[in-house]
Amino acid sequence: MEFNNITLIGMPTSGKSTVGVIVAKILGMDFVDADIVIQNREGMKLSEIIDKKGIDGFVKCEGDAILSIDVNNTVIATGGSAVYSANAMEKLAKNSLIVYLKLEKEELFRRLKNAKERGVVLHEGETLEDMFNTRVKLYEKYANLIVEEKDCTLEETVAKLVNLLKEGR
Ligand SMILES: Nc1ncnc2c1ncn2[C@@H]1O[C@H](COP(=O)(O)OP(=O)(O)O)[C@@H](O)[C@H]1O
Ligand SMILES: O=C(O)C1=C[C@@H](OP(=O)(O)O)[C@@H](O)[C@H](O)C1
Ligand SMILES: [Mg+2]
């Protein structure tokens, strides 16, 4: 592989964490979940960081946590709000192939309904729809590769990503 790491970006619930760990096993790579790095650095759950430090505070913690990740041959699952940290994304772009797991709006809304406890970064007055529209542009901006999840099972999404990576070799 020409690239060193693979970074997964995309909406919350798009499967960065679940797809990421399976792809790492298939490709014989290591795996790191940036959300867990944040929790370890702060000594708190993500929802507690958001409650205590607010949205901007959380985004700062997330950017700093990503900047602290120094890995090789690793699949990195970011949190959905990582794209709000331009400096962290620039660092990731330097040493990884950035893959956008693309989720349709309707499917995002469906999955988020079943995952109410997920602390999603919503700025003041922002609706889920606003968040979707803003983030799509950011994910597209940073993506080297886009995996369309529409009508795919988890296994099909994994296979699609692995095949796209093989084609790119
Ligand atoms: N086609 C699919 N691709 C990825 N995840 C899926 C798919 N269908 C259902 N899911 C479910 O959506 C959730 C994705 O959660 P997660 O991996 O934590 O996403 P993220 O890390 O992007 O927030 C999991 O519960 C997973 O089982
Ligand atoms: O998109 C978001 O606003 C967030 C996504 C979460 O990660 P996942 O994308 O892995 O769910 C986590 O970083 C935090 O709760 C904020
Ligand atoms: Mg995740």
Side-chain angles (χ1 to χ4, degrees), residues 89-141:
M89 291 309 299
E90 276 153 27
K91 185 194 169 188
L92 289 168
K94 280 195 189 126
N95 65 0
S96 60
L97 182 86
I98 300 190
V99 178
Y100 168 25
L101 294 187
K102 186 172 173 186
L103 194 61
E104 296 292 303
K105 193 187 292 181
E106 293 67 30
E107 183 63 17
L108 168 72
F109 288 2
R110 241 192 311 274
R111 288 192 200 171
L112 271 183
K113 235 181 237 161
N114 299 325
K116 278 252 167 67
E117 72 281 6
R118 279 173 186 263
V120 175
V121 168
L122 282 176
H123 293 100
E124 188 75 31
E126 197 179 37
T127 64
L128 264 188
E129 176 122 16
D130 298 334
M131 185 252 334
F132 181 90
N133 294 332
T134 305
R135 288 199 194 180
V136 161
K137 294 188 198 104
L138 291 169
Y139 297 137
E140 284 174 352
K141 171 180 158 183

Side-chain angles (χ1 to χ4, degrees), residues 33-68:
D33 195 312
D35 280 346
I36 306 298
V37 177
I38 303 170
Q39 289 193 161
N40 288 340
R41 282 167 57 94
E42 302 300 321
M44 281 183 272
K45 295 202 296 182
L46 302 181
S47 56
E48 291 169 342
I49 303 170
I50 294 175
D51 284 349
K52 208 170 163 192
K53 303 195 176 191
I55 290 298
D56 292 342
F58 174 79
V59 169
K60 172 83 172 66
C61 292
E62 180 171 40
D64 290 346
I66 292 172
L67 287 171
S68 79

